[in-house]
Amino acid sequence: MATNDPPVAPADPLQAAAAAIRKARHVCVLTGAGISAESGIPTFRDALTGLWSKFRPEELATPEAFERDPELVWKWYEWRRDLVRHAEPNAGHRALVELARRVPRLTLVTQNVDGLHQRAGSPMVLEYHGNILRDRCMVEGVVAERADDARAGLPRCAACGGLLRPDVVWFGEAIPRTPMMLAAAAAEDCDVFLSVGTSSLVYPAAGLAQAAAARGAVVIEVNPDATDLTPQVPFALQGPAGRILPDLCAALGPRVAG
Ligand code: BJW
C-alpha cells in the first residue's frame, strides 16, 4: 500500500450517526436540561437570573437545603413549576417522537422533570430524576394530593397532613428503582446510545453512556458545547437539539411505509 495516499476525509458526522441509527436494533436516548432550553426552561448549569441570581441550583436541589429552609426551596420549585406549565415541547422533543417511529426499539430516559417529552407524544418515558409537577408526602413517602387549605404556609398532604416536597431526586438521594433498572438494562442492550443536552456531570445518569460504550454501543452526543463525554464518543454533533435532532431524523432518509 502506498504510504503517501491522501488522508481519507472524515465522514460527515451527522450522516455517519444516521447510518449507525439505520442499522440499530435498539436505540437508547438520554436527555438532559439542554433539550428543554429551547422551550424556555433554564438549564441547571446556566446562571440563574433575577430573584434567583444569588443561588446555585445545585445548592437548592438537596435534602439539606430543604431541611434548612423549606420555604425558600418551595419558592424556587413553584417558580420553576410555573415555567414548566407555560412551556411547550420544541422541535427536539418532537424529533425524538419521530425517531422512535423510525427504529425497531427506542428507550427514552430523561433526567428532566418537566414532562415535555410526554407532552410531545413520547410514550413510556423513564423519568430518572422524578417529575416537578408531582408532590410527595414526606411522612408516607408516596405521591400525594395537596390539602385544600387556604391558610398560608407550606403545602401539606391531604391524607395525613404531613409536609409535602416536590417528587424529584435531589443530590445524595437514590434514583427511583424502576427507571434506574430499566435504564441500566437499556444501556446494556442498545446498539446506539444518544446523549442529548446533558453536561454528563451528574451520576448515575452520566454512567449510562459509559455502560453502553463498554458493551459496544455507538455513542452519539448532541450538544452545542463540549462535555466530559465528548472526547469519549465517535460522533459529537455540535449544535442545539432543536436543530440537530430533526436533521438527524431527516438524514435517516424517507420513512418506509408499513
Ligand atoms: C443544550 C442546549 C440545546 C444547552 N440543545 N443541548 C459518581 C461520581 C461522582 C459523584 C457521584 C457519583 N455517583 C453519585 C454521585 C453524587 C451525585 C453526583 O453525580 N454529583 C456530581 C455533581 C459530582 N449524584 C447523586 O447524588 C445522585 N444520587 C445518587 O447517586 O444516590 C446514591 C444513593 C444510592 C442509594 C441510596 C441513597 C443514595 C442523584 C442525582 C440527582 C440530581 N438531581 C438534579 C435535580 C433534579 C430535581 C430538579 O429538577 O430540581 O437533577 S441536579 C440536576 O443535574 C438535575 C439534572 O437532571 C441533572 C443533570 O443536569 P443536566 O440535565 O445535564 O443539565 P446541565 O445544566 O448540567 O447541562 C445542560 C447541557 O445542555 C449543557 O451541556 C449545555 O451545553 C447543553 N445545552 N442548550 C442541546 N439547545
Side-chain angles (χ1 to χ4, degrees):
M1 188 173 143
T3 51
N4 56 353
D5 285 347
V8 178
D12 173 355
L14 186 87
Q15 294 299 336
I21 292 173
R22 245 183 262 119
K23 284 191 278 180
R25 177 186 46 83
H26 182 183
V27 175
C28 180
V29 183
L30 173 70
T31 62
I35 195 167
S36 294
E38 291 159 86
S39 293
I41 301 179
T43 69
F44 265 87
R45 278 137 200 107
D46 274 346
L48 289 178
T49 51
L51 192 58
W52 296 104
S53 57
K54 55 182 192 287
F55 299 99
R56 291 178 63 223
E58 297 93 319
E59 285 160 5
L60 293 167
T62 69
E64 293 76 20
F66 192 69
E67 212 168 292
R68 203 168 41 240
D69 195 344
E71 211 153 20
L72 174 79
V73 174
W74 259 121
K75 272 192 189 143
W76 185 56
Y77 276 94
E78 292 296 359
W79 172 73
R80 290 177 55 209
R81 278 182 175 188
D82 201 49
L83 286 179
V84 165
R85 285 197 188 103
H86 290 94
E88 292 297 330
N90 65 54
H93 298 105
R94 290 192 293 273
L96 291 180
V97 179
E98 170 66 10
L99 184 60
R101 297 188 180 123
R102 305 292 303 272
V103 296
R105 183 168 172 215
L106 183 140
T107 302
L108 176 54
V109 185
T110 189
Q111 299 171 84
N112 299 345
V113 296
D114 55 33
L116 289 181
H117 287 301
Q118 293 91 327
R119 283 176 53 201
S122 285
M124 291 280 297
V125 180
L126 300 177
E127 291 183 321
Y128 213 75
H129 290 158
N131 190 303
I132 197 171
L133 297 175
R134 292 191 300 255
D135 293 328
R136 192 193 324 153
C137 175
M138 296 203 51
V139 175
E140 299 163 304
V142 293
V143 172
E145 294 296 318
R146 272 180 190 218
D148 187 14
D149 191 337
R151 280 175 303 158
L154 295 166
R156 297 268 164 194
C157 173
C160 77
L163 185 59
L164 293 176
R165 57 163 282 180
D167 188 29
V168 297
V169 182
W170 285 327
F171 282 113
E173 295 184 326
I175 307 304
R177 190 175 161 77
T178 303
M180 190 171 86
M181 303 295 281
L182 293 177
E188 298 215 331
D189 179 67
C190 69
D191 24 39
V192 169
F193 188 96
L194 186 57
S195 174
V196 182
T198 174
S199 56
S200 296
L201 288 173
V202 175
Y203 284 80
L208 293 170
Q210 287 146 8
R215 289 292 196 111
V218 175
V219 180
I220 302 166
E221 184 181 51
V222 176
N223 200 309
D225 296 328
T227 71
D228 284 4
L229 181 66
T230 311
Q232 304 171 45
V233 304
F235 305 120
L237 307 180
Q238 211 182 348
R243 174 169 61 79
I244 300 284
L245 291 177
D247 284 356
L248 192 55
C249 284
L252 293 176
R255 216 157 131 190
V256 180

